[in-house]
Amino acid sequence: MAGDTPAVNGNQNRNNTNVDKPVVVAKEPKISKPMVYEPLPVKKPNGLSNDTTNHTSHSMTQRSRPHMSTPKGWGEFSVTFSKDQQVTILKETVIATRRKFVADFDHVDDADIHSLTIEGFLQFIERQRLTHMPHQGSRWDKVLKWYALSEFRLTVLGPSNAQALENRFVVFYELGLSISVLLRNDKLLHADEHIRVEVGQAFNELLMLVRDVSIYYYSQINAIPVGQVNLDFNNTFGRHIEAFHKRKCRITDAMWQFELGDDASMDLETLRAWLHPRDRNLQTLVQNRLHAPGHRDEYTCEWFQRHLLDFSRSKKDVLSIIGPAGCGKSVLSRWIIERLQRPLGKSTYETLFFTVEADVPSETSSVAIAKHLFSQLLEKDIGDKLLFQDLVQAYDKSFSKDTIKLEDSLWISLDQALGRFAGKHPLFVIVDALDEVKGGEQNRKQVTDHLGALAAKHSNIQTIILSRDPAPTPTSGKLEIVKITHDHTQEDLTHVARHALHGYVHYQEQGEHDREAVVNKLVHAANGNFLRLLLTIKFLRQEKSLEGFTKAVKAAKDAPKSLDELIKKLVDTSDISRSDTNHLLSWMLVAERPFTINEIKSLLQIDLEKKHFVDRKTDIREDIKASLGALVIIDNDFVRFRHPAIRAHMFNIRKEGKKVINLEAAQTDITMRLLAYCQFTLTNFRDPALEMMATTEVNELLESHRLLEYAVRYWTIHLHNTSMYPSGDKIQLSADLKAIFPSSTQLAMLEWTCWESSVESVKTHELARRIRQDVFTEKHESVLQSLIICGNLYQKWSKTTEASMCYYRASHIGQGILREDHTVIIGCTTIFLTITETMKVTTRTELATRKEGMLKYIINAYKHQHGKTHDLVIRYYKILAQLYIDIREEHHAEAIWRELREIIITRYGKGSEVSERKSLSCLFPSHCLEETSISEQLTIVLQKGNKKIDVVEYEKDIFDAAMDLEVWDIRRIQMTIELATSYEARSEYFLAEELYVTLWRRLTEQCHHPHHHHGVEVHVHAIDIFLEYVRFLQRRHRNEEASNALICVWTEYEEYDFESETIFLRLKVVGELMRAISLLSVAISVFRKCLEWFKSHGKHEHTESCEVLISETMTEIISTTSTTTETIIAELFESTVSRTAVTSETFTICKSLISYYMKLEQWPQCIEVTKRSLLLVWKTIIFGRGTIALPRDFGSEAIDIAMSLAICYDRSYRFYEAEEIYVRIYRACRNSCYIHDERLTRSYTMLIKFYEGYRHWHKMIEIYHELSVEYRKHLGTSHPLTIEKLYVLGSLCADHGHGHAHEYYDEIITTLNHGSAVCHPNALDAMFFMFRYYYEGGHWHKLQAICKTLWLTWKDQHQGYKSFSADFIETLYLRYRYVLEHHIHCESSVLRDLTIEYRNACVKIFGASATISIKASIELAQIYMKSEKHVHEAMSIYEEASSIRGHYLFLC
């Protein structure tokens, strides 16, 4: 479990204020040399000289570079930088450091510093190990290892200061590991100048850290007398450590960026932010837990060395370590991490680690675990592009609304990435406190399965899971379980007890034997539980006398208290009635993560009654200690329960009603304080905005006000858990909360930045908006800001309806509280219009009214800003006009278009309407192809309004202006067509036709003019106006004239040979119009001419379309049997089959000719065509050699043609050839298709139909038998299709005397019933057959089983079975009774019970007056008559049956 023993052995952190701080034992300053860069030169008399040191061979600058001999544990990594680069980066710091050492220490000079080498330092470490011979696992042993591994040179204070040095060297050790990860990528380290500079700066930060630590420690030790001194390492040197970590992150980012280059599909910082918690303090908390090795007592956890080594060498995938709370699992997990950082069994391993902590609810999900593992992998496997791609895919899927899908995709991506990484580095994945995963046993099982699958799938990955018992078992992977028992931890408990009692006067004053006895008693009382042991010792240390101490030890041994009892006793030491104590405890229980000291101070400074800050002068650390004592610890400035078991105990006693800590009241209190804090700190006025706050501004606010980030992120969660938010999603805010609620828009803006942009976050923003609206009413800046945020998120998640509503309301509110042309209102309005652009309306709906209002506002706003003729004004006028047209309010649209026409005239001058399309294209280049002219729109509106005179007059004005243009000018042509359309609308058909004919004649004359120089453009325009004229004739139902006109134009252009694709595209339209009015033969001629031109010029797209048109046209004339038709189709077929390439059009033409011959029943010609067609793609179907399979391309088309060939053979009375083709088709489909493929179904259906026509029942049975085998194999015996085939087989065999039908029916029964007492509905028909078969064959015992099943099915589940008729039930009863009576020889009581059931069921199902019910009553009476004691019942039944029968006859 998380933090299973944070207090055990002082594991939680070196800054734990409630545990004795590690101290440095000050020595008498007898060593005159500075303890900074040991070993010192030979000339110094301190015995630490290095005889092999070369005093002149290395400069300080050279030694600063990272290219050094690397000791074990770092791996064989090296990187070199040029001397100039190193000097540039490190020179000033080196010089300053040298001067400082010489100035601060009397016995150090430049020669001493120059003499230092890494080789000499390592030799010094070896001599220290030989001198002191530290026990393996002791603090001094770890310090010396970390010395060597980290390559930092600090003063050696000796074994007496091992505890202090251990806590301090943890930092150096972690820094060394960070560098080792970077050194794996030596090529990337010097890939470009930026990375080299950052690496140099990182080493610069390390040099300053080592320098300052060395000087600080030396001065502290030599400045005090003999004794002890506490050193606050983090507060003193945290600046250097933070600077190094920032440099390291920059290096990692730069290396990733260099490796990805331009291939990066997403910013790395975005991905990293997604993987990490968004809460910055939570990031710090998680990182501290991840990187800090954790302090433990000397010699502990060594018992697990053999387990770990054996597991690493085994083939097992998952190691599950289980044990109760307080047994040391968390300490053991940290020991495992620490141990795997060094070679294990001559092998080195990489580790990924995560601890699930109950007091951080947001980080206890399966997704959070996967993200943290992914995050660690991202820092280890720098430059792996596939890893980056996996991460991007997982990120993309994170926007899915399906959380299960997100979780699965994340674990799948992680599995792929870890598999590749483990291929390069053997890997351990370690998860501690799995039992704290939220969501219950099911979620814990899912996480376990994911972890097990990682190890099972990849041979180089092993997983270690630590959890309370019982722990879920992974579905996949080989599992090994280690259950922590008292035998395992006996020695560890002893070491812990000794350390915990060390320094306690009543323990120290006893003899060694007595002290050991005390330890043994306490260890025995602890029963393998470290927390229990430490709590017991804590109470022992409160004893004031030796006698009291001795009695307490004896009591602990004789009547040991349980862990819950000890925790209760610990809780009772705190006075919960005190305000601070009650507040702190309740806040910690309801907090979404542990509070920092500064956050608690800010909470305590808020006076809710007076609604202001109260400055707190006392030391907050001491206040916490005084209020909560040993219940909590301070871990890196985070206040946490000493152990999760204490937190769990507090929740349990609340459930039992034994303590007065009202969590609901705590939620209310903390909500009020958080909102009050926001009100006190967010005092600057800020207008609503459409964009998020700048990151720098957000960071500045959060840095200035330490509680602000927690308040912003979590106030809604706390409010949700108060009585103000009861069930039913209703909010009932108190007056006090309304009074304290912040009115600034800054809070909403910070929420936008701080809350995750997920689907669920929209609900939270909606809640915040509703609260603001309840507090301030709707017309308030903060409500407006919340609406903008909600709209933005809805739009991001493609919820357009909700997004549009939010922006509409925001615009509406803004118009009431902001100035009219405020950018926020305009922005909300334009976004609303953009979102609703695709929402089409056809009637005056609420949406239409909203769009109308928004368009009117935006038009007025842009008029005010830019003037009446601005592009934006025109644009939104057109949108408004189109809206009116869509909702059929043409009178409004007419007004808009008239106003737009005036705007265009004002902007471009009188007569500009003729070139209006061109001008609008310039105005709106992005929409120039979609825009229709204002003139056209106004014409349309006038026509819809039935204002024909207005239309003609309007169009006539424009036409008169256009007459000055050349006859071939497209604008003149368009105006002519528009005016002709207007005349046609007024039924002035003569005038309309006159316009068409006149323009066509003039264009034709221009085409024939010998001196015209306009090329094919005039011909194109001539054909266009001609096509409009033909359509006009068609609308007037003058089809004969239209036909003559089409033939005329074809005669005109039939002999022309243009090199213009446009001309032939127009001619193709001519052919399509001919086809529409049944000029089919001429249309084919047109299409063929177009086809030849397109084919010769390589226009494949148009070639194929012409072939399709010819084929479709031929299909229309296929009913005719003229020689011309046959010739055309045959020529096209010959042309098609002669081509090398085969397309879908090829088969269309082939099928057309085949269909033509089949219709004429010309079977020889049809057979010839089908064979030639099949030779194109499927030769084996004709010759039948080898394994027959479907062709790779056009399989379905080939089957169609082959089927036609088989039909032709059949109609030609060539049975055997037809059968061969059908069988080959069937075999090819069996070899090429899945069992569900429609082509296979069709092939065997046609074959069976063929056999059925010739009554070849045995061949039908063979085919069905093959199919049933395939269905069993691929679909299973119980699949509905398999059962269907078995029924068909049974029916065929039974009807035609082939095979053994009963075998198929019996298989159906066996498969579906599975030995059930009642019959499966789909097996009922098979049961009926077997019922007859067994009776007719005299299989009495089998008949009894069938009867019994049918009887129970009918009796108990008759409502679901419609096949049980009264006649069948009567037959069933008689045969069932016959079998029981004459062949089974059962007792009469069985027959009597059966008949009673029969009668009761008949009455219930069919009614008492039914014939079958009366017969059943008579049968029962006859049974009763066989026994003298039942004669009376028999008579009663006879009388009852007689009366029912008589009543029935009376009614009839």
Side-chain angles (χ1 to χ4, degrees), residues 937-1195:
Q937 292 296 336
L938 182 54
T939 302
I940 292 170
V941 173
L942 291 171
Q943 288 171 343
K944 286 186 176 181
N946 202 23
K947 300 180 180 180
K948 297 179 181 179
I949 297 176
D950 291 345
V951 172
V952 173
E953 290 178 358
Y954 173 68
E955 296 286 359
K956 190 70 170 60
D957 291 341
I958 299 176
F959 180 75
D960 292 341
M963 288 303 291
D964 295 333
L965 301 174
E966 295 292 346
V967 70
W968 59 82
D969 193 300
I970 185 63
R971 293 170 292 180
R972 177 173 175 176
I973 294 171
Q974 287 179 340
M975 292 300 106
T976 302
I977 294 173
E978 289 174 5
L979 183 57
T981 304
S982 299
Y983 280 135
E984 185 180 356
R986 289 181 58 188
S987 300
E988 297 182 8
Y989 304 117
F990 176 79
L991 295 175
E993 185 172 4
E994 182 181 28
L995 286 175
Y996 285 125
V997 173
T998 301
L999 183 58
W1000 180 26
R1001 183 183 302 116
R1002 291 182 181 179
L1003 285 171
T1004 305
E1005 290 173 356
Q1006 190 67 33
C1007 292
H1008 293 163
H1009 197 283
H1011 302 294
H1012 88 87
H1013 304 288
H1014 302 288
V1016 299
E1017 183 179 356
V1018 176
H1019 288 278
V1020 172
H1021 294 328
I1023 297 174
D1024 284 340
I1025 197 67
F1026 161 76
L1027 293 174
E1028 289 296 331
Y1029 177 49
V1030 170
R1031 293 186 183 105
F1032 166 77
L1033 293 174
Q1034 286 181 303
R1035 289 194 293 272
R1036 298 299 307 138
H1037 305 291
R1038 294 161 61 183
N1039 291 330
E1040 185 175 353
E1041 294 175 65
S1043 300
N1044 295 333
L1046 287 168
I1047 293 173
C1048 180
V1049 80
W1050 171 236
T1051 304
E1052 176 79 19
Y1053 287 98
E1054 184 177 11
E1055 302 302 327
Y1056 270 74
D1057 188 14
F1058 293 100
E1059 289 299 319
S1060 170
E1061 181 181 353
T1062 307
I1063 286 289
F1064 283 95
L1065 289 174
R1066 294 297 193 277
L1067 289 178
K1068 192 172 78 164
V1069 177
V1070 170
E1072 290 171 350
L1073 287 174
M1074 288 178 172
R1075 180 184 169 193
I1077 58 176
S1078 300
L1079 291 174
L1080 301 178
S1081 298
V1082 184
I1084 288 180
S1085 300
V1086 177
F1087 292 144
R1088 289 186 68 186
K1089 181 176 179 65
C1090 295
L1091 173 64
E1092 291 172 2
W1093 191 92
F1094 289 137
K1095 188 187 301 182
S1096 64
H1097 289 78
K1099 306 295 182 181
H1100 301 295
E1101 178 183 357
H1102 301 309
T1103 300
E1104 292 178 2
S1105 66
C1106 284
E1107 290 176 347
V1108 172
L1109 287 170
I1110 292 172
S1111 175
E1112 291 175 349
T1113 307
M1114 285 191 299
T1115 302
E1116 292 181 32
I1117 64 175
I1118 203 82
S1119 57
T1120 66
T1121 57
S1122 65
T1123 306
T1124 304
T1125 302
E1126 180 180 354
T1127 302
I1128 294 172
I1129 301 175
E1131 287 179 2
L1132 190 59
F1133 173 75
E1134 294 296 337
S1135 172
T1136 300
V1137 297
S1138 64
R1139 288 206 304 260
T1140 305
V1142 178
T1143 65
S1144 58
E1145 286 73 24
T1146 304
F1147 285 97
T1148 303
I1149 294 169
C1150 292
K1151 289 179 181 179
S1152 297
L1153 186 55
I1154 292 169
S1155 176
Y1156 179 80
Y1157 283 133
M1158 291 182 74
K1159 183 176 181 180
L1160 298 178
E1161 297 186 0
Q1162 295 180 0
W1163 308 119
Q1165 294 88 334
C1166 191
I1167 291 172
E1168 179 64 24
V1169 171
T1170 53
K1171 283 186 174 181
R1172 292 182 62 189
S1173 301
L1174 290 170
L1175 286 173
L1176 296 175
V1177 292
W1178 200 9
K1179 296 179 181 179
T1180 55
I1181 195 66
I1182 297 175
F1183 302 112
R1185 292 190 294 268
T1187 301
I1188 300 179
L1190 291 179
R1192 182 177 302 175
D1193 299 316
F1194 306 109

Side-chain angles (χ1 to χ4, degrees), residues 320 322 364 366 407 433-450 465 467-475:
S320 179
I322 57 178
T364 58
S366 173
E407 177 183 343
L434 188 69
D435 51 277
E436 297 291 1
V437 170
K438 69 178 179 183
E441 188 64 28
Q442 181 179 355
N443 284 10
R444 290 191 284 273
K445 181 65 167 65
Q446 289 177 352
V447 175
T448 307
D449 287 344
H450 287 310
I465 301 172
S467 175
R468 291 184 186 176
D469 193 12
T473 302
T475 303

Side-chain angles (χ1 to χ4, degrees), residues 108-147:
V108 174
D109 53 27
D110 287 338
D112 297 334
I113 296 175
H114 277 299
S115 67
L116 297 174
T117 65
I118 188 62
E119 292 81 4
F121 171 72
L122 294 175
Q123 290 178 13
F124 168 72
I125 297 299
E126 292 175 4
R127 288 199 301 274
Q128 287 290 310
R129 184 174 290 281
L130 290 173
T131 301
H132 299 285
M133 298 293 287
H135 188 283
Q136 184 176 359
S138 66
R139 288 196 176 93
W140 190 239
D141 174 57
K142 287 196 291 184
V143 166
L144 293 178
K145 287 177 183 176
W146 290 344
Y147 267 145

Side-chain angles (χ1 to χ4, degrees), residues 13 46 122 141 445 521 559 681 757 906 922 931 984 1077 1100 1238 1432:
N13 192 272
N46 56 15
L122 294 175
D141 174 57
K445 181 65 167 65
K521 291 177 182 178
T681 54
S757 298
T906 302
C922 298
E931 296 285 359
E984 185 180 356
I1077 58 176
H1100 301 295
E1238 182 272 337
H1432 180 72

Side-chain angles (χ1 to χ4, degrees), residues 385-588:
K385 293 183 180 181
L386 292 178
L387 165 63
F388 189 83
Q389 292 174 6
D390 290 336
L391 188 53
V392 170
Q393 290 177 4
Y395 175 81
D396 290 339
K397 293 179 181 178
S398 69
F399 296 100
S400 169
K401 300 175 184 178
D402 188 347
T403 55
I404 297 177
K405 184 177 180 181
L406 164 62
E407 177 183 343
D408 291 340
S409 66
L410 192 60
W411 279 101
I412 290 171
S413 298
L414 180 62
D415 173 83
Q416 295 169 349
L418 286 180
R420 288 191 302 273
F421 181 72
K424 299 175 285 186
H425 311 282
L427 177 67
F428 273 94
V429 178
I430 303 164
V431 177
D432 180 30
L434 188 69
D435 51 277
E436 297 291 1
V437 170
K438 69 178 179 183
E441 188 64 28
Q442 181 179 355
N443 284 10
R444 290 191 284 273
K445 181 65 167 65
Q446 289 177 352
V447 175
T448 307
D449 287 344
H450 287 310
L451 295 171
L454 288 177
K457 187 174 180 180
H458 306 290
S459 58
N460 266 16
I461 297 179
Q462 290 181 291
T463 300
I464 299 177
I465 301 172
L466 299 96
S467 175
R468 291 184 186 176
D469 193 12
T473 302
T475 303
S476 58
K478 298 177 181 178
L479 177 66
E480 179 180 344
I481 299 176
V482 174
K483 187 170 184 178
I484 300 177
T485 64
H486 179 73
D487 293 336
H488 292 129
T489 57
Q490 177 75 23
E491 292 187 10
D492 288 5
L493 287 163
T494 302
H495 292 305
V496 171
R498 288 172 184 160
H499 178 266
L501 289 167
H502 182 73
Y504 177 52
V505 59
H506 298 307
Y507 172 76
Q508 294 295 135
E509 68 186 12
Q510 298 186 50
E512 182 177 352
H513 178 74
D514 293 335
R515 289 200 299 269
E516 284 300 310
V518 169
V519 168
N520 290 336
K521 291 177 182 178
L522 294 176
V523 168
H524 180 269
N527 194 27
N529 193 289
F530 289 92
L531 180 60
R532 190 170 169 182
L533 172 69
L534 289 173
L535 292 178
T536 301
I537 292 175
K538 177 170 183 59
F539 293 124
L540 287 176
R541 292 179 69 107
Q542 295 175 359
E543 297 295 335
K544 303 301 183 183
S545 65
L546 177 59
E547 181 182 0
F549 174 75
T550 305
K551 289 181 179 180
V553 170
K554 185 176 185 302
K557 178 181 179 300
D558 294 341
K561 295 182 179 296
S562 67
L563 181 59
D564 281 341
E565 291 174 330
L566 289 170
I567 293 176
K568 181 180 181 303
K569 184 176 179 181
L570 181 66
V571 172
D572 290 341
T573 59
S574 299
D575 185 3
I576 298 180
S577 62
R578 289 186 61 220
S579 175
D580 281 2
T581 303
N582 192 285
H583 279 142
L584 290 172
L585 273 180
S586 60
W587 294 342
M588 289 178 69

Side-chain angles (χ1 to χ4, degrees), residues 645-683:
I646 298 176
R647 184 175 184 271
H649 176 81
M650 299 298 294
F651 279 107
N652 290 336
I653 61 176
R654 173 185 174 271
K655 292 178 182 178
E656 297 170 3
K658 298 179 181 178
K659 280 286 179 181
V660 185
I661 294 183
N662 189 331
L663 295 187
E664 192 172 272
Q667 294 281 13
T668 302
D669 179 70
I670 199 170
T671 302
M672 297 284 289
R673 290 175 186 271
L674 294 176
L675 292 173
Y677 185 85
C678 292
Q679 187 187 60
F680 299 155
T681 54
L682 301 176
T683 55

